[in-house]
Amino acid sequence: MIILDGKATAAAIRAELGEEVKTLVSKTGRAPGLAVILVGEDPASQVYVRNKEKACQGAGFLSETFRLPAAVGQAELETLIDRLNARDDVDGILLQLPLPHGLDSQRCLERIAPDKDVDGFHPVNMGKLTLGLPGLRPCTPAGVMVLLQRYGLSPNGKKAVVVGRSNIVGKPMMLLLAEKGANANATVTVCHSGTPDLGAVCREADFLVLAMGRPRSITGDMVKEGAVVVDVGINRTETGLCGDADYASVSERASAITPVPGGIGPMTIAQLLANTVQAYKAHCGL
């Protein structure tokens, strides 16, 4: 069985991007700029933002974090986004989710200029993904595709099952897996909490992507022998972090599996950097 090491793969990608940025800076005279907006004191969000800051610094980016109190008003938050949209030294804007109660996250996401939407959540970028047009892709599902490609695991002509239908992971994951191309081209089924006999559907999958947010809910008897299992779930339990897969039993049947932690989490951050470089190059006309 292959353990799909997202941590090592992401480190390699960050190093490659760092070298590319050095070359680009010599042409443009400035580094890529990423603005991160963090509202409130959510502990998980604080950790994610710190990790993103470190990754940006390591790759030679200019990263600026705007920390706002949970009591900030909708208008003030949108004014900050407008200001960052107008700044020429900011290529990407990342709004850390979830936002505190009372703030409209969708309105804020739609306020971000589509060409600076490095999370890939703006309706324009989601629409481009749906239509198969070039654009900024949501970081987590795009990171999954890159990880599979780096390990030479192509879903081309295979059956893929995505468990979860969120706008952040499940829906864009389905679209990326089904895209035309040698590294996609899967036949995709999307499952969710209302799917009857979830195990029967999962057992059909050559590629099984778990993104439902239910700890250890997918067990070995629900997985096809030799399947590739990508566990996007990050669940905090009394015994620590775990994924949506029951790792012990699923790993006995899978031919390849991502660990939690150390799987898709680092790939999401690596893809954020890749998206920022993409936005930076477009901004600079490269």
Side-chain angles (χ1 to χ4, degrees):
M1 188 198 66
I2 302 168
I3 295 177
L4 304 175
D5 190 338
K7 188 174 181 180
T9 306
I13 292 169
R14 292 197 308 271
E16 292 164 13
L17 288 170
E19 290 303 311
E20 182 181 4
V21 165
K22 287 179 186 176
T23 303
L24 292 170
V25 168
S26 67
K27 297 177 181 178
T28 66
R30 71 171 182 87
L34 175 66
V36 179
I37 303 172
L38 175 62
V39 185
E41 304 292 331
D42 181 73
S45 292
Q46 302 258 7
V47 172
Y48 294 149
V49 167
R50 280 199 299 272
N51 289 340
K52 289 166 185 173
E53 288 172 336
K54 289 178 186 176
C56 284
Q57 292 165 3
F61 290 27
L62 293 176
S63 175
E64 190 172 358
T65 301
F66 296 83
R67 290 177 165 82
L68 304 177
V72 70
Q74 182 80 23
E76 185 179 347
L77 180 52
E78 291 182 9
T79 297
L80 172 59
I81 293 170
D82 290 344
R83 200 164 73 238
L84 295 173
N85 281 335
R87 277 179 50 176
D88 204 44
D89 61 337
V90 172
D91 303 290
I93 301 170
L94 184 148
L95 177 64
Q96 183 65 43
L97 300 177
L99 294 180
H101 181 72
L103 293 171
D104 188 332
S105 59
Q106 189 60 39
R107 264 180 58 186
C108 291
L109 291 173
E110 292 180 16
R111 196 91 177 193
I112 296 170
D115 59 348
K116 294 190 178 188
D117 166 41
V118 288
D119 253 338
F121 295 157
H122 192 283
V124 167
N125 287 318
M126 291 292 280
K128 286 181 176 180
L129 171 59
T130 302
L131 295 172
L133 299 174
L136 294 164
R137 304 305 196 214
C139 296
T140 296
V144 170
M145 298 304 291
V146 171
L147 183 63
L148 292 175
Q149 186 175 351
R150 293 259 173 161
Y151 274 87
L153 297 169
S154 173
N156 190 349
K158 304 292 186 180
K159 181 153 190 180
V161 171
V162 178
V163 183
R165 55 181 167 182
S166 71
N167 292 331
I168 294 173
V169 181
K171 290 176 184 175
M173 190 78 255
M174 169 195 69
L175 292 165
L176 287 171
L177 284 164
E179 275 189 329
K180 291 182 179 179
N183 294 306
N185 208 40
T187 299
V188 188
T189 300
V190 177
C191 299
H192 45 75
S193 57
T195 300
D197 201 350
L198 178 60
V201 182
C202 289
R203 279 190 292 273
E204 297 176 357
D206 303 301
F207 285 75
L208 181 59
V209 181
L210 309 178
M212 195 162 54
R214 294 188 176 183
R216 303 186 182 95
S217 57
I218 304 300
T219 52
D221 62 313
M222 301 168 71
V223 176
K224 180 180 180 179
E225 186 74 40
V228 174
V229 179
V230 177
D231 194 346
V232 181
I234 301 180
N235 306 290
R236 283 173 169 77
T237 69
E238 291 180 358
T239 55
L241 289 178
C242 72
D244 287 359
D246 178 56
Y247 189 88
S249 62
V250 170
S251 60
E252 290 181 358
R253 296 183 62 81
S255 63
I257 189 170
T258 56
V260 178
I264 300 306
M267 292 300 300
T268 298
I269 295 177
Q271 189 59 40
L272 169 67
L273 299 188
N275 279 0
T276 303
V277 170
Q278 180 182 335
Y280 161 74
K281 290 196 287 190
H283 192 182
C284 295
L286 298 174

